[in-house]
Amino acid sequence: MYFHGYRSYQKRRFKNKYGKYLMGMLVVTALVTFFVQRQELWSIGKKAAVKMAGTAVVDVLAPGLHYEEKENGNHFLAKVEKILFPIADYTVQIQSYETDAESTLSYEMILAMEALDENYVDEDGQVVMQNNGGTDSPQPADGTQNADNPQAADGAQSTDNSQAAANAQNPDTSQETSNSAEQTSLTVAPPIAATQKAVEYSLDKLNDFDYLVQNFYQVDSTTTVKSDQLNVAALTGKNMKIAHDASTPQILIYHTHSLEGYADSIPGDKSTTVVGVGDYLTELLTQQYGYNVIHDTGEYDTIRDKAYSKAAPALEQILADNPSIDVVIDLHRDGVGENTRLVTNVNGTDMAKVMFFNGLSRTTKLGDIAYLYNPYIADNLAFSFQMQLAAAEYYPGYTRKIYLKGYRFNMHYCPKTLLVEVGAQTNTVQEAKNAMVPLADILNKVLSE
């Protein structure tokens, strides 16, 4: 009896001892997990606090400018759960893409950065690009390349080798000159608009996201683009045709940077700046194609880093006064290294190369910029792509790749908004004006044919 009682006591003692050991191990495991992860948890908490503080400041200083969808109230706890149980969130991660904002800037700071961002300049407004080995693509002073090679011809040829014929008719003569002072204005007849395609692009190849980006786009390192944004079916499926006749205004042309000139521009003479180029485009669209065009020659860039914020109210007023406007074109001139010349040849006529430019309202550093919300990004992208595709097929070598960058560039007022860079400061005025003949023809093909 005594022996039996002793054995029962020993079993209970063993079980209690085993239970204590097991509980101790669980506690130690929990503590280790907590201390290993606490730095990341603290970082997440700190980011959330900074974001909330920045939002509060923007709401006070600029009420109504902050646009952001409300997050789930358990967002912080969800991140904690994701850290402790990372596998549970794996299927969500592989299906979605999100860029977390690293900081919050004021609306005015964002607009200033936007104004300086569009033409590769530093904080003093000086061009910071340098020559990039003989191509028409500038390179930042920090050595980071922005390759802008002419569109690749592989896969773009039709079965009858029309590419070879196109190259013979429209050779790409992008070139460099060692001294821009030696440039002279061209006095040649304007080129004749193309009547048939020189190249046929395969939809099968364009449906390949990598092929599409490599041949049609230059994505700046400061932003990101998603494959669903560059879906060819969506880009070509949007109807860009003008919905009404020319009895009321259809197209608005304006210049955020109206003071941008060319190598031989005459100081004080607007006709020799990008405004003069806009005058010629207006003339072509109205007299040759019959559109009703308003050309706004307002000056918005006397203070360059305020240009977009100054142009915005004027643009709003014009659109309010003319609700029939269906297309908005912001005509610019690019900035490149002084030894870079953006020149091509169409039907025997030298002209400046043209580049279409899109803002995605998203940067890698800030994520999606809520203050620069643009409901028409998909439409903007469709417009520029349809223009780029028509240019590539009818005028091979005429355009540079579509440049995708962060910020918004006032492209949120109208679905059919186009930002166009016509040559650079090293081109002549005549070269820039010559480039308007193909541009007007391409616009007509996309908007009416």
Side-chain angles (χ1 to χ4, degrees):
M1 176 115 177
Y2 171 78
F3 181 72
H4 177 72
Y6 178 75
R7 289 185 62 189
S8 298
Y9 168 75
Q10 288 291 87
K11 286 181 179 180
R12 288 195 302 272
R13 184 182 176 191
F14 178 77
K15 287 181 180 179
N16 290 339
K17 187 175 181 181
Y18 178 77
K20 289 179 180 178
Y21 282 140
L22 181 60
M23 181 61 72
M25 290 175 65
L26 289 174
V27 170
V28 169
T29 301
L31 289 173
V32 169
T33 301
F34 173 76
F35 283 111
V36 167
Q37 302 294 345
R38 68 176 182 172
Q39 174 121 13
E40 188 166 355
L41 289 172
W42 166 246
S43 176
I44 293 171
K46 185 169 64 174
K47 281 186 180 182
V50 170
K51 186 174 181 180
M52 289 173 63
T55 299
V57 171
V58 171
D59 286 339
V60 171
L61 297 179
L65 295 178
H66 183 79
Y67 174 93
E68 186 172 16
E69 296 180 0
K70 291 186 179 295
E71 296 181 345
N72 187 336
N74 295 324
H75 184 62
F76 178 73
L77 294 177
K79 286 198 175 185
V80 174
E81 180 183 9
K82 184 167 69 174
I83 291 173
L84 296 179
F85 306 100
I87 297 178
D89 194 46
Y90 176 72
T91 57
V92 177
Q93 290 181 10
I94 62 174
Q95 295 174 2
S96 63
Y97 172 87
E98 180 180 354
T99 303
D100 288 330
E102 295 180 6
S103 63
T104 302
L105 300 178
S106 74
Y107 184 69
E108 286 300 320
M109 290 173 67
I110 289 288
L111 289 180
M113 291 171 64
E114 177 182 52
L116 293 175
D117 195 52
E118 180 251 316
N119 278 80
Y120 314 104
V121 295
D122 60 20
E123 61 275 11
D124 299 319
Q126 300 300 312
V127 176
V128 293
M129 311 305 289
Q130 59 188 26
N131 180 34
N132 189 22
T135 70
D136 67 354
S137 56
Q139 179 178 346
D142 62 3
T144 304
Q145 290 189 357
N146 284 321
D148 183 29
N149 298 322
Q151 295 161 353
D154 56 322
Q157 295 181 345
S158 58
T159 54
D160 62 354
N161 294 322
S162 61
Q163 176 69 65
N167 288 340
Q169 295 174 6
N170 298 309
D172 181 1
T173 57
S174 299
Q175 56 185 297
E176 289 180 56
T177 57
S178 59
N179 186 358
S180 61
E182 297 176 0
Q183 301 165 12
T184 58
S185 296
L186 301 178
T187 56
V188 296
I192 300 173
T195 57
Q196 61 183 7
K197 291 182 180 180
V199 179
E200 190 77 37
Y201 278 81
S202 165
L203 285 179
D204 289 337
K205 285 192 174 291
L206 294 177
N207 280 320
D208 183 328
F209 178 69
D210 291 332
Y211 175 86
L212 181 68
V213 172
Q214 290 170 10
N215 289 275
F216 284 82
Y217 291 93
Q218 178 64 43
V219 183
D220 191 79
S221 60
T222 61
T223 192
T224 58
V225 66
K226 305 175 186 179
S227 58
D228 60 345
Q229 289 182 299
L230 298 184
N231 178 283
V232 168
L235 293 172
T236 58
K238 282 190 177 292
N239 183 9
M240 292 292 131
K241 308 305 180 189
I242 290 182
H244 61 90
D245 61 29
S247 59
T248 54
Q250 299 167 301
I251 300 173
L252 168 66
I253 298 173
Y254 78 108
H255 312 272
T256 300
H257 296 144
S258 63
L259 299 180
E260 290 175 332
Y262 293 92
D264 56 350
S265 292
I266 300 171
D269 184 356
K270 279 190 174 184
S271 67
T272 63
T273 67
V274 71
V275 174
V277 177
D279 283 335
Y280 186 44
L281 177 60
T282 300
E283 178 184 328
L284 290 169
L285 290 174
T286 55
Q287 296 183 12
Q288 185 168 338
Y289 296 100
Y291 292 102
N292 190 328
V293 182
I294 294 176
H295 184 203
D296 173 41
T297 60
E299 220 172 77
Y300 307 114
D301 55 336
T302 50
I303 303 177
R304 189 176 177 87
D305 64 0
K306 301 289 184 183
Y308 282 97
S309 56
K310 186 177 179 182
L315 182 56
E316 290 176 0
Q317 189 61 53
I318 294 173
L319 294 177
D321 294 341
N322 302 276
S324 61
I325 289 176
D326 205 21
V327 177
V328 175
I329 300 172
D330 188 7
L331 207 62
H332 289 251
R333 180 229 70 196
D334 205 359
V336 298
E338 289 301 322
N339 291 328
T340 299
R341 291 260 289 141
L342 305 177
V343 181
T344 189
N345 187 284
V346 174
N347 294 331
T349 301
D350 286 340
M351 61 184 63
K353 280 195 148 193
V354 164
M355 180 175 72
F356 304 120
F357 192 104
N358 283 96
L360 301 177
S361 294
R362 177 176 61 250
T363 67
T364 52
K365 184 173 269 189
L366 302 175
D368 288 330
I369 306 175
Y371 327 107
L372 300 181
Y373 176 67
N374 180 1
Y376 302 128
I377 289 179
D379 299 273
N380 298 161
L381 289 170
F383 194 11
S384 63
F385 177 74
Q386 290 184 31
M387 291 288 294
Q388 183 80 0
L389 182 59
E393 291 182 331
Y394 286 93
Y395 301 97
Y398 167 67
T399 58
R400 300 156 71 191
K401 292 181 181 179
I402 300 171
Y403 210 98
L404 302 181
K405 227 168 185 184
Y407 310 125
R408 185 174 60 186
F409 307 103
N410 283 342
M411 301 183 76
H412 61 297
Y413 291 110
C414 179
K416 298 186 188 75
T417 296
L418 201 64
L419 196 160
V420 188
E421 301 277 3
V422 183
Q425 82 280 7
T426 55
N427 287 102
T428 65
V429 177
Q430 189 65 54
E431 288 168 348
K433 288 185 176 181
N434 288 346
M436 294 301 95
V437 175
L439 183 61
D441 182 47
I442 295 165
L443 279 167
N444 183 59
K445 284 175 168 49
V446 172
L447 297 175
S448 296
E449 292 183 2

